[in-house]
Amino acid sequence: MSSLRVLVGCKRVIDYAVKIRVNASKTAVETAGVKHSMNPFDEIAVEEAVRLKEKMGKKISEIVVVSCGTAKAQETLRTALAMGADRGIHVQVEDDAKLQPLGVAKLLKAIVEKEKIDLVVLGKQAIDDDSNQTGQMLAGLLNWPQATFASKVDIAEDNAITVSREVDGGIETISSKIPAIVTTDLRLNEPRYASLPNIMKAKKKPLVKLTPQELGVDVAPRLETLEVSEPPKRSGGKKVESVDELVDKLKNEAAIL
Ligand code: AMP
């Protein structure tokens, strides 16, 4: 029985509770002075890796967490280490906004190969760009099987991995062999809060910094953002007196029926 090395991606994103504003030049959303946190689906990914290690003991030899971004990404990695990951890798880039899913997937591929990773756990999507691409692209680049949108993960002694996925109308259960890529959905687990002692311990866990150049990866953006705009303001609703009036308005004013 060989033990498994797990890699988890942790992106630093604008906190889910912040009201997003578009910047004045309409090129991106405003990030300056805005609260950031670990992408919620990545918290679920870290939690799942830690639970697998707690459940399977020595079968999981190490959980490595990686964040690609500016120096602040290290805060996100420290949170993941406080949740129970063993080691962090920060891939430093100058501008988060210029890093796109293909670039991240190439960086992750280089780390998978360098670190001899067996299982990659990513979030199903980053809540800032909503791309939902990185896991799938990484699976393509590595030619590994992928189980996306996982709501349950089981690994057997013989490295068979079984994943339940929430699909329209029910749950699909698929099985594959490790090495593999899993992306997490909301209902997979409820991530733990890092306790104060664990936050203190996490400060001493190893964290290395690498650059895309050191990994031999070109992260130049392939897509150009033309414009970012706010959704149209909602106009106020109207009260109707009867179902007939409602149907009339839907037909003649809203032209929905
Ligand atoms: P996306 O394809 O951008 O929606 O992101 C999907 C998942 O890929 C995220 O939930 C993360 O697990 C991982 N990921 C994306 N960007 C990064 C990043 N800059 N650093 C680390 N992991 C990332």
Side-chain angles (χ1 to χ4, degrees):
M1 175 198 87
S2 61
S3 61
L4 303 174
R5 297 166 60 75
V6 182
L7 183 73
V8 183
C10 300
K11 187 176 188 187
R12 179 178 179 268
V13 297
I14 294 184
D15 189 87
Y16 73 95
V18 168
K19 190 168 182 322
I20 303 289
R21 276 179 300 114
V22 172
N23 67 10
S25 50
K26 291 197 168 187
T27 51
V29 297
E30 196 57 75
T31 53
V34 172
K35 183 178 177 208
H36 283 67
S37 311
M38 191 191 307
N39 182 44
F41 293 107
D42 300 350
E43 288 183 347
I44 296 173
V46 175
E47 177 67 33
E48 194 62 20
V50 173
R51 284 190 195 187
L52 284 170
K53 194 173 176 196
E54 286 168 350
K55 192 166 85 182
M56 305 185 70
K58 293 207 167 68
K59 175 80 184 167
I60 308 270
S61 60
E62 196 176 30
I63 302 171
V64 182
V65 284
V66 56
S67 190
C68 314
T70 59
K72 293 246 167 80
Q74 294 201 6
E75 291 168 16
T76 306
L77 288 173
R78 289 287 171 206
T79 305
L81 295 173
M83 288 173 73
D86 298 300
R87 198 153 57 81
I89 299 177
H90 170 216
V91 183
Q92 170 117 36
V93 300
E94 286 186 1
D95 184 355
D96 286 327
K98 293 211 176 103
L99 190 58
Q100 297 176 347
L102 182 59
V104 177
K106 287 180 183 169
L107 292 170
L108 295 178
K109 174 176 188 268
I111 291 170
V112 163
E113 286 165 353
K114 188 169 180 293
E115 297 283 343
K116 306 211 171 358
I117 296 295
D118 304 288
L119 175 68
V120 180
V121 190
L122 303 179
K124 74 167 177 182
Q125 75 191 52
I127 62 163
D128 53 359
D129 59 23
D130 274 350
S131 294
N132 178 2
Q133 292 175 359
T134 308
Q136 294 87 330
M137 283 178 168
L138 180 61
L141 292 173
L142 287 168
N143 199 19
W144 282 10
Q146 58 176 323
T148 53
F149 296 67
S151 59
K152 189 165 184 284
V153 177
D154 275 310
I155 298 174
E157 280 298 314
D158 65 350
N159 287 355
I161 180 165
T162 308
V163 175
S164 302
R165 319 175 55 238
E166 283 179 35
V167 293
D168 280 353
I171 307 270
E172 178 186 57
T173 302
I174 58 174
S175 146
S176 185
K177 274 271 177 180
I178 283 173
I181 295 176
V182 171
T183 74
T184 62
D185 211 336
L186 205 58
R187 270 177 283 269
L188 180 58
N189 60 48
E190 252 186 58
R192 70 195 66 190
Y193 288 104
S195 66
L196 193 58
N198 286 343
I199 293 173
M200 301 311 287
K201 269 191 228 153
K203 292 189 194 219
K204 298 208 182 90
K205 290 188 178 177
L207 197 167
V208 295
K209 190 170 88 180
L210 291 171
T211 61
Q213 293 75 13
E214 284 168 322
L215 290 166
V217 174
D218 173 11
V219 289
R222 300 291 184 86
L223 302 170
E224 184 192 353
T225 302
L226 300 179
E227 190 189 296
V228 179
S229 55
E230 309 225 344
K233 292 254 177 311
R234 286 184 63 171
S235 55
K238 269 186 201 156
K239 274 198 172 160
V240 290
E241 298 295 330
S242 66
V243 172
D244 285 346
E245 192 188 343
L246 175 65
V247 172
D248 179 67
K249 283 201 189 306
L250 289 176
K251 256 191 200 154
N252 301 317
E253 281 182 28
I256 291 174
L257 297 180

